[in-house]
Amino acid sequence: MDITPPIDLTPDNFHQLLADRNITAEQVNQRDGDPFSEMNLIRRAITHARKTTPFIYRNALPTLPDTTAWISELVHQTRAEQTRRDAITPVLRRGRSLLLLGPTGVGKTHQAYGTLRALAVTGITATWTATSSADLYAALRPRTGIDAETEFRRYAHTPLLLVDDLGAAKATEWTEEINFRLVNHRYENQLPTLFTSNVLPKQLADRLGDRVASRLTEMCDRVVITGQDRRRQDAA
Ligand SMILES: Nc1ncnc2c1ncn2[C@@H]1O[C@H](COP(=O)(O)OP(=O)(O)OP(=O)(O)O)[C@@H](O)[C@H]1O
Ligand SMILES: [Mg+2]
């Protein structure tokens, strides 16, 4: 594990996320020469988050009590597991998932990236992969030179996964099978996953199939976001 050099905290609200944890910019950038120190892990995680977060969500913060509670629980469990294993660093392995539901434009994806960014300053190592369901299907479509099964495993096995817009595309037998295999793998191995969807809660089973909806119900903390389409509000 390398030592991550000092980082600039001003551009994208990370100073705010750190302030919420009572960590100053000086503290996060202190050079202790220890690749396993909490501050080094935080600098690494912030660097990863910056690479992985789309531009319009670069300042996102988690604003809902349910999402901040989910983060706290995940961190608590990861640290407990670190103590149990006597591990050098707290590495996220298992935990509950999060299902963010709500109509178009209320802020589901914003909340999801805010949550992932907030997780970056907790000091736990939680490498994440983010995709929308449409991009996922595109990545898994059989084509020359790509082994779809290897691609699938990249998403199925990642320690922390964001699947944006689940159920947004018109379902086919093939997309249903991908959804089922992915959700089932994450479910059976208790791998934390953030799902967003604009499917109404009572229509989840109709849109995603009963077996996917049933697993999501058990594995996820469900957060329903209400309100207006922020994009149209901003345009008005
Ligand atoms: N809490 C927030 N504070 C500031 N801006 C926000 C907040 N939540 C959402 N936004 C902004 O509102 C717009 C819509 O948010 P977002 O893309 O997250 O919606 P969504 O619910 O994912 O929509 P869709 O269902 O179409 O995917 C974006 O520009 C986003 O940055
Ligand atoms: Mg969205």
Side-chain angles (χ1 to χ4, degrees):
M1 188 176 288
D2 296 336
I3 294 173
T4 306
I7 50 178
D8 177 8
L9 291 168
T10 40
D12 49 11
N13 269 348
F14 270 110
H15 62 289
Q16 171 72 50
L17 287 165
L18 287 162
D20 293 345
R21 293 203 57 223
N22 295 321
I23 300 173
T24 63
E26 293 72 44
Q27 281 171 322
V28 87
N29 278 325
Q30 75 202 8
R31 305 296 293 266
D32 53 19
D34 177 2
F36 301 110
S37 71
E38 184 176 15
M39 294 308 143
N40 187 61
L41 296 180
I42 291 176
R43 290 198 302 277
R44 272 170 67 89
I46 291 176
T47 306
H48 173 65
R50 282 180 169 160
K51 276 191 208 139
T52 323
T53 305
F55 185 74
I56 66 160
Y57 303 117
R58 68 197 180 284
N59 293 318
L61 302 172
T63 52
L64 302 173
D66 287 343
T67 53
T68 45
W70 180 78
I71 295 169
S72 301
E73 182 57 28
L74 218 53
V75 172
H76 174 75
Q77 279 178 7
T78 305
R79 291 205 180 277
E81 182 67 6
Q82 179 194 12
T83 307
R84 199 184 66 75
R85 288 169 164 247
D86 199 16
I88 297 172
T89 57
V91 179
L92 175 70
R93 290 183 198 281
R94 298 186 207 294
R96 283 185 66 71
S97 294
L98 195 61
L99 175 59
L100 298 164
L101 297 173
T104 301
V106 289
K108 301 177 295 296
T109 310
H110 186 99
Q111 199 64 222
Y113 278 105
T115 303
L116 290 168
R117 280 163 35 83
L119 212 49
V121 302
T122 59
I124 67 166
T125 299
T127 311
W128 36 279
T129 303
T131 185
S132 68
S133 60
D135 286 342
L136 175 72
Y137 306 142
L140 300 184
R141 204 147 278 145
R143 59 202 192 279
T144 319
I146 297 291
D147 177 22
E149 224 22 61
T150 307
E151 281 290 303
F152 176 79
R153 280 197 289 274
R154 194 164 82 76
Y155 296 99
H157 292 239
T158 188
L160 179 60
L161 175 67
L162 165 61
V163 181
D164 203 14
D165 285 330
L166 188 67
K170 199 163 176 293
T172 66
E173 237 173 74
W174 185 76
T175 61
E176 276 179 5
E177 186 190 320
I178 299 289
N179 288 347
F180 177 74
R181 287 187 60 210
L182 184 69
V183 169
N184 192 48
H185 183 88
R186 309 288 305 175
Y187 166 76
E188 288 185 343
N189 295 287
Q190 292 179 36
L191 299 174
T193 312
L194 286 101
F195 299 96
T196 80
S197 179
N198 56 13
V199 174
L200 290 172
K202 60 179 186 239
Q203 287 177 350
L204 278 172
D206 279 352
R207 288 284 289 277
L208 298 168
D210 209 27
R211 300 170 73 217
V212 169
S214 163
R215 282 162 178 74
L216 290 177
T217 303
E218 185 185 328
M219 73 198 270
C220 294
D221 292 342
R222 183 185 290 199
V223 182
V224 179
I225 306 180
T226 53
Q228 302 292 316
D229 180 346
R230 287 174 177 264
R231 300 190 190 99
R232 293 198 166 95
Q233 263 177 346
D234 289 351

